Structure formats: structure tokens, C-alpha cells
Amino acid sequence: MSFSDRFSSWRNQLISNAKFQSWAVRNPFTRPLARQKAKATFDLVAGFVYSQVLSAALDSGLLEAVRSRTIDETGFAASSGLPLDGASRLLRAAASLELVRRQADGRYALGDAGAALLGNPSVFAMVRHHKAFYRDIADPLALLKARRDDTELSRFWAYETNTNPEDAAAYSALMAETQALIAQDVLEAYDFSRHRTVMDVGGGLGAFLSAVGAAHPAIDLVLVDLPPVAKLAADRIAVGPLAARFRIEPRNMLEDALPGGADLITLIRVVHDHNDAPVARLLASARKALAPGGSLLIGEPMAGVRGAEAMADAYFGLYLWAMGRGLARTPAQLSQLLQDAGFREIRRLRTAQPLMVSAIIAR
């Protein structure tokens, strides 16, 4: 056993010792760190409850209620339909998470965390969607025994085989609502102005391409998605200001050849939804479709990114497992897949919030 292994073993035994923990929390020099670690440990235990408090604050209308005014317990009970003691309990729980803030007069105002969430309304779509995820993950070990196709997430995201227009509308709306979380970061990370035609593959209702088009008036926009999604996108885009610049191509990106002519193809939150074999086919198809000298841009949460470890390996690790396919890959893994597909000059782009999205460009 190496010295580092022996030291790590000794350190772990020390930290897990109850007497050491008791000493550390009472020693003035180690107390701040011990308390910080204790809180982090408890947050692991209580994290599900915290997320449910957020869900209740959203579903009850609490955050909207305090957006621009203060409320008291009686008023919130009346507006939410909760009994007074239930409303009071939720208000105190939300205040502990800084979703709301209790004032000296006993009324509640918007808290810092609540204000941040209201500034990113697409988060609310994910909070509501998570109810299905939580049901799938209620017994995580049972879920992890084998990937299944009978989970709620696998049925929700069965877009490759489910052509029901209502189902297509549901998952497309979720993608469109949450796309705002990352579109601006991708636009800031890469200079789109050097391109003439951008084709977004798996582009849903066109939320990302619309952001590109609004920022760069000279770029032609091509959206590729499954026929039922493409129809929804066409209906939505037709009444928007960018309609004349859009071309909608109904295709199955994993089976059909991609249309040619674009000098930039984007895959935004697409690659991590699929296993290696279909990703390899998609990347090869993208390379064949690109104009000479064209580029491919991948934007999605990635593993192995400093500060985003839990997002990639814990959240997306289990979410994609419950979905039945896909994984969050490291930039190195994506680079290898791109090299295998014939791409060169592969480099990672710096994004403002790597917790939400990282990006890679390849020629």
C-alpha cells in the first residue's frame, strides 16, 4: 500500500471516529470546519425534503405571492387553500431555505434563493417534472439493478418511438422551457457570427435556434427534429419574428441522413441522452452533412468538470439511468467520439456556468 493510500485510510478512520468528531466540534480551531462538514452531511440526508419544500412553495403559489409584496400566515393560508397550521409550517420551512424571508413584523417577503429562482423560471418546469423522477428513484437500488423501459422517465422521453402529438408536445414544451437555462451561456461561449447557416439537430420547438437568430440577424436557421416535433415547431415559428429565416426539416436524427449545407451544426443537450453507438452514428452523420470546413458544437452538462461533479455524476447519472439510456460524458470522452467520427481541431469552450452547460467545438 502506498503512502498516500495509508494516509487516506488513517484520515478516514480518524474522521469517522465519534470521539474525534466530538473533539473537532468543540475545539475553537476546528469548530468552523467541523460545523461546515456537519451541515453538508445533513444536507445529504435531508436534500429530498428540501426539494419537496421547493415543490410545495411553487405549487402553492408562495413564490409568486411574495414576488412583489409581503404576506402573512393567514393570507397565505387563504390563497393556498392550506389550513393555517400547514401554511405556517410551509412558510417556516421555505424561510429556512431562503426561499422567503421572515420580517420583524411576522410577515414574509421574497428571499434570496426565491428571487434567484424567479429570475430563472425554466427551473420551475424542471421542479414540476421531477415528480416523475422521484417516483422512479424511490427505491434506487431496485432501479440500478438493470436499465428498464417501464419507468416514468423512459415513457416520457420515448420520443424515438412515440409519435403521439400530445406526448410530443409535452416533452417538447419541457425542453423549450428549460432551454433558456443554457442558451445564453452557449451564445457567449462561441462566436456564431462567423457562420452563414446554423443547423440545430434535435432542436425541439426552436428555442435555442431562436436565441441564435435573435443575436445574429444574418444567420440562416435550420431545425431538425422528429416529424411530430417538427410540425409543432413549424406552427410555433410561423407566428414569430424569425419565420422567414427558418427551415424545418422533419427527420429522425439517429436513422435518417441529415440535410446538407450548414457550416455549423449544434447538438444542444442531445448527446448525453444516448448511448455510445447511436452517438457515433449521429456524429458521423453530422460530419457528412457539414459544408467543407464546417464545425460541430456540442453543448450539455458534462462529467469531470470542476464544480459540476454532483450535477453530472449524481443528478444526471441517475436521471439518465432512470430514462433508460445515455450518460453524462467527460470532455475527453466526447473528444474521442468526435475523433472517431473524423472531426479535428477539437477544443473545449469556456462557459459562464459549467454547472449547467459545458461546450466543445470541433471542425
Side-chain angles (χ1 to χ4, degrees):
M1 182 182 293
S2 67
F3 172 78
S4 62
D5 289 339
R6 290 196 302 272
F7 176 79
S8 179
S9 176
W10 170 82
R11 180 177 177 275
N12 290 340
Q13 290 180 27
L14 179 65
I15 293 174
S16 63
N17 184 280
K19 290 183 178 180
F20 173 79
Q21 293 177 8
S22 178
W23 170 83
V25 81
R26 288 168 175 76
N27 185 289
F29 297 103
T30 58
R31 184 182 300 141
L33 180 60
R35 287 178 174 174
Q36 177 186 350
K37 294 295 185 182
K39 181 183 182 303
T41 300
F42 185 79
D43 285 346
L44 285 175
V45 176
F48 176 75
V49 178
Y50 298 162
S51 66
Q52 296 303 80
V53 171
L54 172 59
S55 180
L58 173 62
D59 291 346
S60 66
L62 172 57
L63 292 182
E64 285 296 335
V66 296
R67 180 189 284 270
S68 57
R69 59 187 175 88
T70 61
I71 59 171
D72 58 19
E73 293 181 353
T74 302
F76 176 57
S79 66
S80 65
L82 293 171
L84 182 59
D85 55 351
S88 175
R89 190 67 59 97
L90 177 55
L91 283 165
R92 294 199 304 272
S96 74
L97 300 178
E98 299 183 359
L99 297 171
V100 298
R101 172 173 49 84
R102 192 175 191 275
Q103 301 183 143
D105 62 1
R107 297 179 66 84
Y108 289 85
L110 186 63
D112 289 348
L117 287 166
L118 288 174
N120 293 281
S122 53
V123 172
F124 295 154
M126 289 304 299
V127 172
R128 293 189 176 97
H129 172 65
H130 279 160
K131 293 177 182 180
F133 183 26
Y134 293 152
R135 289 190 288 271
D136 283 341
I137 205 173
D139 187 344
L141 289 182
L143 178 70
L144 290 166
K145 285 182 179 178
R147 283 199 157 178
R148 312 196 318 256
D149 59 4
D150 62 346
T151 61
E152 289 198 39
L153 288 189
S154 66
R155 290 191 293 270
F156 182 84
W157 292 112
Y159 44 76
E160 293 169 24
T161 56
N162 185 353
T163 58
N164 186 311
E166 292 184 3
D167 293 333
Y171 64 68
S172 298
L174 177 63
M175 288 297 292
E177 287 184 82
T178 57
Q179 199 73 284
L181 284 170
I182 66 172
Q184 189 59 40
D185 280 3
V186 175
L187 282 168
E188 292 175 356
Y190 182 70
D191 181 11
F192 283 74
S193 66
R194 68 186 69 179
H195 297 286
R196 302 181 307 277
T197 303
V198 175
M199 180 165 66
D200 192 27
V201 178
L205 299 183
F208 178 74
L209 267 188
S210 294
V212 173
H216 300 282
I219 292 179
D220 292 327
L221 310 167
V222 182
L223 186 150
V224 176
D225 215 313
L226 294 165
V229 179
K231 184 181 185 307
L232 292 169
D235 293 342
R236 177 171 175 168
I237 291 164
V239 297
L242 303 177
R245 295 166 55 197
F246 260 94
R247 187 171 94 242
I248 310 297
E249 292 280 355
R251 312 255 179 132
N252 184 326
M253 64 182 183
L254 299 180
E255 297 179 3
D256 302 331
L258 296 176
D263 59 336
L264 176 65
I265 291 178
T266 55
L267 295 169
I268 307 300
R269 292 193 307 176
V270 167
V271 174
H272 71 347
D273 281 357
H274 301 280
N275 297 331
D276 284 350
V279 167
R281 292 197 301 272
L282 175 59
L283 295 180
S285 180
R287 183 180 183 279
K288 185 176 181 180
L290 276 167
S295 300
L296 174 69
L297 175 64
I298 297 174
E300 62 186 33
M302 297 180 191
V305 175
R306 184 180 296 275
E309 295 88 351
M311 171 68 83
D313 291 325
Y315 175 79
F316 276 108
L318 291 185
Y319 185 97
L320 295 170
W321 183 273
M323 199 172 84
R325 63 181 185 276
L327 71 158
R329 296 174 176 85
T330 65
Q333 288 173 315
L334 287 168
S335 295
Q336 186 60 58
L337 287 167
L338 287 163
Q339 287 181 31
D340 293 344
F343 286 93
R344 299 293 179 264
E345 299 180 34
I346 302 164
R347 61 187 176 90
R348 184 175 161 194
L349 303 173
R350 180 175 296 180
T351 56
Q353 298 185 87
L355 176 69
M356 303 305 299
V357 61
S358 294
I360 290 177
I361 189 73
R363 286 174 60 83

